[in-house]
Amino acid sequence: MKFVYSHGGFAREIMRSVRENFPNDKIFFVDDNATGDAISYDEALNRRAESASSFVIGFADSNLRRQKTEMVLSDGFSIFSVQARTAIIGENVSLSAGAVVSDFTILTADAQIGHSFHCNIYSYVAHDCIVGDFVTLAPRVSVNGRVEIGDDVYIGTGATILPGRADQPLKIGRGAIIGAHSLVTKDVPENTVVIGAPAKPLKRRT
């Protein structure tokens, strides 16, 4: 049995891929405010005895995604990953549990991807990148080679991260936010919001 935690837009987008990945499983949306075709978390707890049950977490907010992941694991569920049929995952790509790799995305080669990674449509991660846990790439994000991304980073729609060097990867610190359509040309400190082309700091996150 498979559960998609969230009933919002992104969760609905990935449901088709979940069904394609797990055609023989019962699949449910789970939402804290269960309406329509979503069930409550309490109902998911009641159903887990029917068969082996696991979750993918559909929330974009990294803190909420982390919170829900820890909760379902503590309640005895496991976490599964989702890969769209049109996604490409290349050689020597290490992809941790809970990943969502959406349609028309590419993880090219020799990349390490952390837990509960969200890669939205038309985004890519190039060679020799290291991506932390609970990282979100919005649609059409370009992460070029030799980039290191810390945990809980959000990269907005259409942003481009230029490549680092073999001896000096470009680094985006934990908790940073990259604004939509920004061009990142140098390291971004942790918990910093950057915007523009080239991207410049807007403020520190509290």
Side-chain angles (χ1 to χ4, degrees):
M1 187 175 301
K2 298 290 184 288
F3 299 109
V4 178
Y5 209 140
S6 177
H7 196 215
F10 184 66
R12 295 198 305 276
E13 285 180 1
I14 67 173
M15 179 56 89
R16 175 179 52 81
S17 295
V18 176
R19 291 190 176 115
E20 288 174 352
N21 287 184
F22 305 99
N24 299 319
D25 283 67
K26 293 180 180 179
I27 302 168
F28 300 90
F29 287 114
V30 174
D31 201 287
D32 295 332
N33 298 305
T35 58
D37 56 349
I39 65 174
S40 69
Y41 185 69
D42 285 342
E43 187 170 351
L45 286 169
N46 292 333
R47 288 176 179 265
R48 67 181 169 176
E50 296 178 21
S51 64
S53 300
S54 57
F55 270 85
V56 67
I57 312 299
F59 296 105
D61 179 85
S62 65
N63 290 327
L64 186 57
R65 195 150 83 238
R66 184 185 294 274
Q67 173 192 334
K68 296 302 185 184
T69 297
E70 292 172 353
M71 182 180 73
V72 301
L73 289 173
S74 69
D75 285 332
F77 295 101
S78 59
I79 297 291
F80 69 92
S81 296
V82 181
Q83 179 183 342
R85 186 166 49 190
T86 56
I88 297 172
I89 297 180
E91 295 184 351
N92 299 318
V93 173
S94 172
L95 193 64
S96 300
V100 177
V101 186
S102 300
D103 278 301
F104 309 109
T105 56
I106 305 176
L107 309 178
T108 66
D110 304 306
Q112 299 176 37
I113 310 295
H115 293 279
S116 295
F117 171 63
H118 282 187
C119 190
N120 276 265
I121 56 174
Y122 295 105
S123 292
Y124 74 81
V125 176
H127 64 90
D128 300 298
C129 287
I130 299 174
V131 179
D133 298 334
F134 301 98
V135 170
T136 301
L137 307 187
R140 298 187 184 278
V141 168
S142 301
V143 179
N144 290 285
R146 301 188 179 95
V147 173
E148 295 182 5
I149 301 175
D151 296 348
D152 302 295
V153 167
Y154 181 90
I155 303 180
T157 299
T160 298
I161 316 299
L162 291 187
R165 303 197 307 261
D167 62 339
Q168 188 176 351
L170 190 151
K171 297 183 179 181
I172 299 176
R174 180 185 181 122
I177 295 177
I178 311 301
H181 305 292
S182 293
L183 176 65
V184 177
T185 61
K186 58 184 180 180
D187 291 356
V188 177
E190 66 178 26
N191 297 316
T192 301
V193 180
V194 299
I195 60 172
K200 296 181 179 179
L202 178 64
K203 64 179 180 179
R204 293 274 296 176
R205 297 179 72 187
T206 57

